[in-house]
């Protein structure tokens, strides 16, 4: 049992210092030792708490943010929640421009956290004045002294992980890790953590997880943007249809792609085998581990850290819904116990 009982001034003091948890069963038969850095333990239930707090505190230090200032971002996902949470405690106005594709649950959750949410049409090009990108940009121009987080193109996203996630992993492993496996969306997590770890030991291998339907892996290999790599996929928060400047491709050794279906099944398997109720991309990262183990990436001395970006509660109507899994056709090819009808 955990022993240190502490009292905190506010919820922001609980951001970071997330645990490393040994993966005991799902890695059965793999060579090496595997630990997950479980970011769902952050108070906003994801790694995005780190960047929200870091970017906002940098803007405070630089005198950009003053009491009552406005913070703007274009996301209905984890980053939106984290910015809303930090804004409440620090007394800022939070405006989130989101796509009309966002679920009602997510929009309700953000409004509950005090955010002003602008719902923008999903099916317009990014340069259309009605798109959530343009709405955010316009609000940023109109509201004097506002801060636009712009996580895909903000270097501070990398710095947040360079200063927190990287040092934590180095300390928790006493510098003994050999591999870091992390999902890449904005790229902030993998790039910042990798920059720190490689500054300590350049031999640590950094492996990014990408989705089929995303350009990142191909771009890493060729430094060319190949539109043919882009098609719709279901994992949220992983991969991209553009090249984010918050990704430092030079510190990543290679990318592995995973399918929507395998990532979903592996996330469910993490709950059943390790008792870890984590998000879709944690399933994706663990699926990546399985593929890497099969390819012979690890040996008996490997100390592998895999980052689990968020908690499972945000995926109840998706991968943790048998109905959703059936609608996607994900139960046709895999006959797993969780899919069997039960009497209630
Ligand atoms: N997983 C989830 C659930 C996310 O929301 C994100 C962020 N888009 C990532 C992984 C990837 O993290 P990063 O943006 O730092 O690359």
């Amino acid at each position: 049992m955990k022993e240190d009982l502490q009292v905190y001034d506010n919820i922001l003091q609980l951001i970071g210092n997330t645990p490393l948890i040994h993966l005991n069963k799902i890695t059965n038969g793999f060579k090496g030792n595997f630990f997950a850095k479980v970011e769902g333990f952050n108070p906003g239930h994801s790694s995005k708490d780190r960047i929200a707090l870091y970017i906002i505190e940098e803007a405070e230090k630089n005198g950009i943010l003053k009491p009552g200032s406005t913070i703007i971002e274009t996301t209905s996902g984890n980053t939106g929640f984290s910015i809303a949470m930090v804004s409440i405690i620090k007394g800022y106005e939070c405006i989130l421009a989101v796509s009309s594709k966002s679920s009602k649950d997510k929009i309700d959750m953000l409004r509950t956290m005090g955010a002003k949410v602008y719902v923008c049409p999903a099916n317009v090009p990014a340069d259309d004045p009605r798109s959530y990108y343009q709405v955010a940009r316009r609000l940023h121009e109109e509201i004097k002294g506002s801060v636009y987080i712009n996580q895909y193109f903000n270097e501070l996203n990398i710095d947040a992980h360079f200063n927190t996630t990287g040092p934590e992993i180095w300390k928790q492993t006493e510098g003994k890790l050999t591999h870091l496996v992390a999902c890449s969306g904005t790229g902030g997590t993998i790039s910042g953590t990798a920059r720190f770890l490689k500054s300590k030991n350049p031999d640590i291998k950094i492996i990014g997880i990408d989705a089929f339907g995303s350009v990142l892996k191909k771009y890493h290999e060729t430094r060319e943007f190949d539109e043919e790599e882009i098609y719709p996929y279901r994992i949220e928060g992983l991969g991209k249809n553009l090249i984010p400047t918050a990704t430092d491709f030079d510190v990543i050794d290679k990318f592995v792609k995973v399918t929507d279906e395998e990532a979903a099944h592996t996330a469910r398997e993490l709950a059943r085998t390790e008792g870890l109720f984590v998000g879709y991309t944690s399933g994706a990262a663990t699926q990546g581990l399985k593929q890497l183990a099969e390819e012979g990436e690890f040996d008996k001395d490997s100390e592998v850290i895999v980052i689990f970006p968020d908690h499972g509660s945000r995926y109840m109507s998706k991968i943790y819904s048998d109905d959703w899994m059936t609608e996607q056709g994900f139960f046709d090819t895999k006959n797993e116990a969780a899919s069997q009808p039960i009497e209630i």
Side-chain angles (χ1 to χ4, degrees):
M1 293 271 279
K2 212 173 151 190
E3 298 222 323
D4 52 338
L5 289 171
Q6 282 197 45
V7 177
Y8 298 89
D9 287 338
N10 65 54
I11 197 163
L12 303 187
Q13 292 181 344
L14 281 140
I15 293 177
N17 289 322
T18 52
L20 275 192
I21 302 180
H22 192 218
L23 296 174
N24 294 294
K25 295 187 182 142
I26 204 160
T27 51
N28 251 346
F30 297 6
K31 288 180 187 152
N33 237 328
F34 298 83
F35 293 87
K37 180 129 174 100
V38 186
E39 292 290 294
F41 278 90
N42 280 298
H45 304 149
S46 88
S47 54
K48 295 298 179 181
D49 284 1
R50 296 176 186 271
I51 70 163
L53 184 65
Y54 187 86
I55 295 174
I56 288 170
E57 291 195 336
E58 282 299 298
E60 286 172 343
K61 275 188 220 155
N62 297 331
I64 301 166
L65 277 174
K66 311 238 161 54
S69 292
T70 299
I71 301 169
I72 300 168
E73 183 56 319
T74 51
T75 170
S76 62
N78 288 326
T79 309
F81 188 91
S82 299
I83 295 168
M85 185 181 79
V86 176
S87 299
I88 296 243
I89 302 300
K90 288 181 169 281
Y92 300 121
E93 184 89 47
C94 169
I95 298 183
L96 302 170
V98 311
S99 142
S100 54
K101 270 200 312 203
S102 309
S103 73
K104 185 174 175 303
D105 277 0
K106 280 190 173 170
I107 293 169
D108 286 346
M109 185 165 74
L110 296 172
R111 288 193 170 135
T112 302
M113 294 299 288
K116 199 185 270 181
V117 183
Y118 287 69
V119 182
C120 309
N123 297 322
V124 297
D127 56 2
D128 187 294
R130 293 164 298 168
S131 81
Y132 52 90
Y133 294 113
Q134 298 308 327
V135 169
R137 218 167 278 281
R138 183 167 49 76
L139 287 166
H140 177 44
E141 277 164 22
E142 285 172 8
I143 303 171
K144 224 174 133 251
S146 62
V147 168
Y148 180 22
I149 301 280
N150 203 9
Q151 60 172 338
Y152 283 90
F153 299 98
N154 192 339
E155 273 276 324
L156 295 174
N157 179 355
I158 299 182
D159 295 350
H161 293 284
F162 181 91
N163 286 298
T164 67
T165 320
E168 285 172 29
I169 291 175
W170 184 253
K171 197 166 160 202
Q172 284 169 305
T173 60
E174 294 170 341
K176 291 192 188 111
L177 77 158
T178 57
H179 296 75
L180 173 78
V181 176
C183 293
S184 202
T186 66
T189 307
I190 191 166
S191 307
T193 309
R195 268 188 197 168
F196 182 85
L197 294 175
K198 287 212 171 187
S199 75
K200 292 288 183 186
N201 173 5
D203 293 335
I204 295 171
K205 201 152 173 194
I206 310 295
I207 302 171
I209 304 295
D210 190 18
F212 285 100
S214 151
V215 292
L216 300 179
K217 180 173 192 287
K218 184 84 179 272
Y219 182 80
H220 180 253
E221 287 160 5
T222 63
R223 289 297 192 273
E224 272 169 32
F225 182 82
D226 183 355
E227 268 187 22
E228 293 200 353
E229 290 288 300
I230 301 171
Y231 48 85
Y233 57 91
R234 295 184 181 81
I235 311 176
E236 296 162 62
L238 176 61
K240 204 57 198 167
N241 56 1
L242 50 78
I243 306 301
T245 56
T247 309
D248 179 355
F249 286 89
D250 293 338
V251 292
I252 301 169
D253 292 289
K254 69 171 177 181
F255 275 95
V256 172
K257 285 201 179 200
V258 299
T259 68
D260 287 334
E261 179 168 4
E262 287 178 312
H265 282 286
T266 303
R268 294 168 72 107
E269 194 186 344
L270 278 167
R272 287 201 310 278
T273 57
E274 308 284 348
L276 280 167
F277 186 53
V278 287
Y280 203 168
T281 53
S282 305
T286 310
Q287 176 58 30
L289 274 191
K290 289 184 181 185
Q291 293 169 204
L292 288 160
E294 231 162 75
E295 288 165 15
E297 176 67 43
F298 310 121
D299 61 32
K300 66 173 182 26
D301 299 321
S302 296
E303 287 283 328
V304 184
I305 304 303
V306 54
I307 298 185
F308 285 179
D310 69 353
H311 190 258
S313 54
R314 289 187 182 149
Y315 304 87
M316 284 313 297
S317 57
K318 297 217 165 153
I319 53 172
Y320 298 122
S321 152
D322 282 2
D323 291 342
W324 186 86
M325 291 290 281
T326 305
E327 277 162 31
Q328 309 306 313
F330 290 174
F331 278 154
D332 295 346
T333 52
K334 292 237 169 80
N335 182 18
E336 64 169 297
S339 71
Q340 300 307 309
I342 49 162
E343 276 180 41
I344 300 173

